[in-house]
Short mmCIF file of all heavy atoms in Angstrom, two decimals:
data_model
loop_
_atom_site.label_atom_id
_atom_site.label_comp_id
_atom_site.label_asym_id
_atom_site.label_seq_id
_atom_site.Cartn_x
_atom_site.Cartn_y
_atom_site.Cartn_z
N ARG A 16 126.00 82.58 32.34
CA ARG A 16 126.26 82.69 30.91
C ARG A 16 126.06 84.13 30.45
O ARG A 16 125.15 84.82 30.90
CB ARG A 16 125.30 81.75 30.16
CG ARG A 16 125.46 81.71 28.66
CD ARG A 16 124.67 80.52 28.10
NE ARG A 16 123.32 80.46 28.61
CZ ARG A 16 122.27 81.06 28.05
NH1 ARG A 16 122.44 81.79 26.96
NH2 ARG A 16 121.08 80.94 28.58
N MET A 17 126.90 84.58 29.55
CA MET A 17 126.81 85.94 29.01
C MET A 17 125.60 86.05 28.07
O MET A 17 125.28 85.11 27.33
CB MET A 17 128.11 86.26 28.25
CG MET A 17 128.25 87.70 27.83
SD MET A 17 129.81 87.95 26.94
CE MET A 17 130.98 87.55 28.23
N LYS A 18 124.95 87.19 28.10
CA LYS A 18 123.80 87.42 27.24
C LYS A 18 124.22 87.32 25.77
O LYS A 18 125.21 87.89 25.35
CB LYS A 18 123.21 88.81 27.53
CG LYS A 18 121.92 89.09 26.79
CD LYS A 18 121.35 90.45 27.16
CE LYS A 18 120.05 90.73 26.42
NZ LYS A 18 119.50 92.06 26.76
N GLY A 19 123.43 86.56 25.01
CA GLY A 19 123.72 86.41 23.59
C GLY A 19 124.49 85.16 23.25
O GLY A 19 124.59 84.77 22.09
N ILE A 20 125.05 84.49 24.28
CA ILE A 20 125.80 83.25 24.05
C ILE A 20 124.89 82.08 24.37
O ILE A 20 124.40 81.93 25.49
CB ILE A 20 127.06 83.17 24.95
CG1 ILE A 20 127.97 84.38 24.72
CG2 ILE A 20 127.81 81.87 24.71
CD1 ILE A 20 128.60 84.45 23.36
N GLU A 21 124.67 81.23 23.38
CA GLU A 21 123.78 80.08 23.59
C GLU A 21 124.48 78.98 24.38
O GLU A 21 123.94 78.44 25.34
CB GLU A 21 123.30 79.52 22.25
CG GLU A 21 122.27 78.42 22.41
CD GLU A 21 121.68 77.98 21.09
OE1 GLU A 21 121.62 78.80 20.16
OE2 GLU A 21 121.27 76.81 20.99
N ARG A 22 125.71 78.64 23.96
CA ARG A 22 126.49 77.61 24.65
C ARG A 22 127.96 78.04 24.70
O ARG A 22 128.60 78.18 23.66
CB ARG A 22 126.40 76.27 23.92
CG ARG A 22 125.06 75.57 24.04
CD ARG A 22 125.16 74.17 23.47
NE ARG A 22 123.92 73.43 23.56
CZ ARG A 22 123.76 72.17 23.19
NH1 ARG A 22 124.81 71.51 22.70
NH2 ARG A 22 122.60 71.56 23.29
N PRO A 23 128.50 78.24 25.89
CA PRO A 23 129.93 78.57 26.00
C PRO A 23 130.78 77.44 25.41
O PRO A 23 130.37 76.28 25.39
CB PRO A 23 130.15 78.68 27.51
CG PRO A 23 128.80 79.00 28.07
CD PRO A 23 127.83 78.26 27.21
N GLY A 24 131.96 77.80 24.93
CA GLY A 24 132.86 76.81 24.34
C GLY A 24 134.25 76.89 24.94
O GLY A 24 134.70 77.95 25.38
N LEU A 25 134.94 75.76 24.97
CA LEU A 25 136.31 75.70 25.48
C LEU A 25 137.29 76.01 24.35
O LEU A 25 137.26 75.37 23.30
CB LEU A 25 136.62 74.31 26.04
CG LEU A 25 136.24 74.01 27.48
CD1 LEU A 25 136.47 72.53 27.77
CD2 LEU A 25 137.05 74.86 28.45
N ILE A 26 138.15 76.98 24.58
CA ILE A 26 139.18 77.32 23.60
C ILE A 26 140.54 76.97 24.18
O ILE A 26 140.83 77.27 25.34
CB ILE A 26 139.12 78.80 23.18
CG1 ILE A 26 140.03 79.06 21.98
CG2 ILE A 26 139.43 79.75 24.32
CD1 ILE A 26 139.75 80.38 21.28
N VAL A 27 141.35 76.29 23.40
CA VAL A 27 142.67 75.85 23.86
C VAL A 27 143.72 76.25 22.82
O VAL A 27 143.44 76.27 21.63
CB VAL A 27 142.68 74.31 24.08
CG1 VAL A 27 142.37 73.55 22.81
CG2 VAL A 27 144.00 73.86 24.67
N THR A 28 144.91 76.59 23.28
CA THR A 28 146.02 76.93 22.40
C THR A 28 146.95 75.74 22.27
O THR A 28 147.29 75.09 23.26
CB THR A 28 146.80 78.14 22.94
OG1 THR A 28 145.91 79.26 23.06
CG2 THR A 28 147.94 78.52 22.00
N LEU A 29 147.35 75.46 21.02
CA LEU A 29 148.21 74.31 20.73
C LEU A 29 149.38 74.76 19.85
O LEU A 29 149.31 75.79 19.17
CB LEU A 29 147.41 73.22 20.02
CG LEU A 29 146.33 72.54 20.89
CD1 LEU A 29 145.37 71.76 20.02
CD2 LEU A 29 146.97 71.64 21.92
N PRO A 30 150.48 73.98 19.84
CA PRO A 30 151.66 74.40 19.10
C PRO A 30 151.56 74.15 17.60
O PRO A 30 150.75 73.33 17.14
CB PRO A 30 152.77 73.52 19.69
CG PRO A 30 152.05 72.28 20.13
CD PRO A 30 150.70 72.75 20.62
N VAL A 31 152.37 74.89 16.84
CA VAL A 31 152.58 74.60 15.42
C VAL A 31 154.08 74.49 15.18
O VAL A 31 154.89 74.98 15.97
CB VAL A 31 151.97 75.68 14.49
CG1 VAL A 31 150.47 75.74 14.66
CG2 VAL A 31 152.60 77.04 14.73
N ILE A 32 154.45 73.86 14.09
CA ILE A 32 155.86 73.62 13.80
C ILE A 32 156.60 74.90 13.44
O ILE A 32 157.74 75.12 13.83
CB ILE A 32 155.98 72.59 12.65
CG1 ILE A 32 155.39 71.25 13.08
CG2 ILE A 32 157.43 72.43 12.20
CD1 ILE A 32 155.24 70.26 11.96
N GLN A 33 155.93 75.81 12.72
CA GLN A 33 156.61 76.95 12.11
C GLN A 33 156.95 78.09 13.06
O GLN A 33 157.86 78.87 12.78
CB GLN A 33 155.77 77.50 10.95
CG GLN A 33 155.70 76.59 9.73
CD GLN A 33 154.67 75.49 9.88
OE1 GLN A 33 154.04 75.34 10.93
NE2 GLN A 33 154.50 74.69 8.84
N ASN A 34 156.20 78.24 14.16
CA ASN A 34 156.45 79.38 15.05
C ASN A 34 156.09 79.01 16.49
O ASN A 34 155.66 77.90 16.77
CB ASN A 34 155.65 80.61 14.59
CG ASN A 34 154.15 80.35 14.55
OD1 ASN A 34 153.54 79.95 15.53
ND2 ASN A 34 153.54 80.57 13.38
N ASP A 35 156.29 79.95 17.39
CA ASP A 35 156.01 79.71 18.81
C ASP A 35 154.63 80.22 19.22
O ASP A 35 154.27 80.12 20.39
CB ASP A 35 157.08 80.39 19.68
CG ASP A 35 158.43 79.72 19.54
OD1 ASP A 35 158.46 78.49 19.33
OD2 ASP A 35 159.46 80.42 19.62
N GLN A 36 153.88 80.78 18.28
CA GLN A 36 152.59 81.36 18.63
C GLN A 36 151.50 80.31 18.74
O GLN A 36 150.60 80.40 19.56
CB GLN A 36 152.19 82.43 17.61
CG GLN A 36 151.00 83.25 18.06
CD GLN A 36 150.78 84.45 17.16
OE1 GLN A 36 151.05 84.40 15.96
NE2 GLN A 36 150.28 85.54 17.72
N GLY A 37 151.57 79.27 17.89
CA GLY A 37 150.57 78.23 17.93
C GLY A 37 149.25 78.65 17.31
O GLY A 37 149.14 79.67 16.65
N PHE A 38 148.22 77.82 17.53
CA PHE A 38 146.88 78.13 17.04
C PHE A 38 145.89 77.80 18.14
O PHE A 38 146.22 77.13 19.13
CB PHE A 38 146.56 77.33 15.78
CG PHE A 38 146.29 75.86 16.03
CD1 PHE A 38 145.00 75.36 16.13
CD2 PHE A 38 147.35 74.97 16.18
CE1 PHE A 38 144.76 74.02 16.38
CE2 PHE A 38 147.12 73.62 16.42
CZ PHE A 38 145.82 73.14 16.52
N THR A 39 144.66 78.27 18.01
CA THR A 39 143.62 77.96 18.98
C THR A 39 142.55 77.08 18.36
O THR A 39 142.34 77.12 17.14
CB THR A 39 142.96 79.24 19.54
OG1 THR A 39 142.45 80.02 18.45
CG2 THR A 39 143.94 80.06 20.33
N MET A 40 141.91 76.29 19.22
CA MET A 40 140.83 75.44 18.77
C MET A 40 139.64 75.61 19.70
O MET A 40 139.79 75.64 20.92
CB MET A 40 141.26 73.97 18.77
CG MET A 40 140.15 73.01 18.32
SD MET A 40 140.80 71.37 17.94
CE MET A 40 141.42 70.86 19.54
N ILE A 41 138.45 75.75 19.13
CA ILE A 41 137.21 75.90 19.87
C ILE A 41 136.11 75.19 19.08
O ILE A 41 136.02 75.39 17.88
CB ILE A 41 136.87 77.39 20.11
CG1 ILE A 41 135.61 77.52 20.95
CG2 ILE A 41 136.77 78.18 18.82
CD1 ILE A 41 135.32 78.98 21.40
N ASP A 42 135.36 74.30 19.63
CA ASP A 42 135.22 73.90 21.01
C ASP A 42 136.09 72.68 21.26
O ASP A 42 136.08 71.74 20.47
CB ASP A 42 133.75 73.62 21.28
CG ASP A 42 133.43 73.11 22.66
OD1 ASP A 42 134.16 73.42 23.60
OD2 ASP A 42 132.42 72.38 22.78
N ALA A 43 136.79 72.68 22.40
CA ALA A 43 137.69 71.58 22.73
C ALA A 43 137.05 70.55 23.64
O ALA A 43 137.74 69.70 24.20
CB ALA A 43 138.95 72.13 23.38
N GLY A 44 135.73 70.61 23.81
CA GLY A 44 135.07 69.57 24.59
C GLY A 44 133.91 69.99 25.47
O GLY A 44 133.38 69.17 26.22
N ALA A 45 133.47 71.23 25.38
CA ALA A 45 132.36 71.67 26.24
C ALA A 45 131.03 71.13 25.78
O ALA A 45 130.18 70.77 26.60
CB ALA A 45 132.32 73.20 26.30
N ASN A 46 130.81 71.05 24.45
CA ASN A 46 129.50 70.65 23.92
C ASN A 46 129.68 69.63 22.80
O ASN A 46 130.00 70.00 21.66
CB ASN A 46 128.73 71.87 23.39
CG ASN A 46 128.43 72.87 24.49
OD1 ASN A 46 127.62 72.62 25.37
ND2 ASN A 46 129.11 74.01 24.45
N ALA A 47 129.45 68.38 23.11
CA ALA A 47 129.61 67.32 22.12
C ALA A 47 128.53 67.38 21.03
O ALA A 47 128.78 67.03 19.88
CB ALA A 47 129.59 65.96 22.80
N ASP A 48 127.34 67.84 21.40
CA ASP A 48 126.22 67.86 20.45
C ASP A 48 125.93 69.28 19.97
O ASP A 48 124.79 69.74 20.00
CB ASP A 48 124.96 67.27 21.12
CG ASP A 48 125.17 65.82 21.54
OD1 ASP A 48 125.71 65.06 20.73
OD2 ASP A 48 124.80 65.47 22.67
N ALA A 49 126.95 69.96 19.50
CA ALA A 49 126.78 71.34 19.08
C ALA A 49 125.96 71.44 17.79
O ALA A 49 126.06 70.60 16.89
CB ALA A 49 128.15 71.98 18.86
N LYS A 50 125.15 72.48 17.72
CA LYS A 50 124.38 72.78 16.52
C LYS A 50 125.18 73.72 15.62
O LYS A 50 126.21 74.26 16.02
CB LYS A 50 123.06 73.43 16.91
CG LYS A 50 122.18 72.59 17.82
CD LYS A 50 120.94 73.37 18.25
CE LYS A 50 120.09 72.57 19.22
NZ LYS A 50 118.92 73.35 19.71
N VAL A 51 124.68 73.93 14.43
CA VAL A 51 125.37 74.80 13.48
C VAL A 51 125.54 76.20 14.06
O VAL A 51 126.62 76.80 13.99
CB VAL A 51 124.59 74.88 12.14
CG1 VAL A 51 125.22 75.91 11.21
CG2 VAL A 51 124.57 73.51 11.47
N GLU A 52 124.47 76.73 14.67
CA GLU A 52 124.54 78.10 15.23
C GLU A 52 125.56 78.20 16.37
O GLU A 52 126.16 79.25 16.58
CB GLU A 52 123.17 78.57 15.69
CG GLU A 52 122.43 77.63 16.60
CD GLU A 52 121.48 76.69 15.87
OE1 GLU A 52 121.80 76.31 14.72
OE2 GLU A 52 120.42 76.34 16.44
N ASN A 53 125.75 77.08 17.11
CA ASN A 53 126.76 77.08 18.17
C ASN A 53 128.16 77.23 17.58
O ASN A 53 128.99 77.99 18.08
CB ASN A 53 126.70 75.79 18.99
CG ASN A 53 125.35 75.56 19.64
OD1 ASN A 53 124.88 74.44 19.70
ND2 ASN A 53 124.72 76.61 20.13
N VAL A 54 128.43 76.51 16.52
CA VAL A 54 129.74 76.56 15.88
C VAL A 54 130.01 77.95 15.29
O VAL A 54 131.13 78.43 15.32
CB VAL A 54 129.87 75.44 14.82
CG1 VAL A 54 131.17 75.58 14.03
CG2 VAL A 54 129.81 74.07 15.48
N ILE A 55 128.97 78.58 14.78
CA ILE A 55 129.13 79.95 14.26
C ILE A 55 129.53 80.88 15.40
O ILE A 55 130.42 81.73 15.24
CB ILE A 55 127.82 80.44 13.61
CG1 ILE A 55 127.40 79.51 12.48
CG2 ILE A 55 127.99 81.87 13.10
CD1 ILE A 55 128.47 79.20 11.47
N GLN A 56 128.90 80.71 16.56
CA GLN A 56 129.29 81.52 17.72
C GLN A 56 130.72 81.22 18.15
O GLN A 56 131.46 82.12 18.55
CB GLN A 56 128.33 81.30 18.89
CG GLN A 56 126.97 81.94 18.69
CD GLN A 56 126.21 82.11 20.00
OE1 GLN A 56 126.49 81.45 21.00
NE2 GLN A 56 125.24 83.01 20.01
#
């Protein structure tokens, strides 16, 4: 784990209707019981 990171998160890219760039979502399943500070990271 990298220094300063409490819990690594999975980031995934998904499509959107308007363009081909899509959007990203994090966390996509690494930590089900994430705390507030984890989500901020």
Side-chain angles (χ1 to χ4, degrees):
R16 182 168 49 89
M17 189 180 297
K18 186 178 180 181
I20 303 293
E21 186 173 331
R22 288 189 179 183
L25 274 173
I26 190 164
V27 61
T28 301
L29 292 165
V31 297
I32 297 170
Q33 290 81 356
N34 58 56
D35 291 328
Q36 191 170 33
F38 73 98
T39 56
M40 179 166 63
I41 183 172
D42 176 28
N46 297 290
D48 299 315
K50 301 176 183 177
V51 174
E52 51 267 32
N53 301 142
V54 174
I55 302 309
Q56 287 199 340

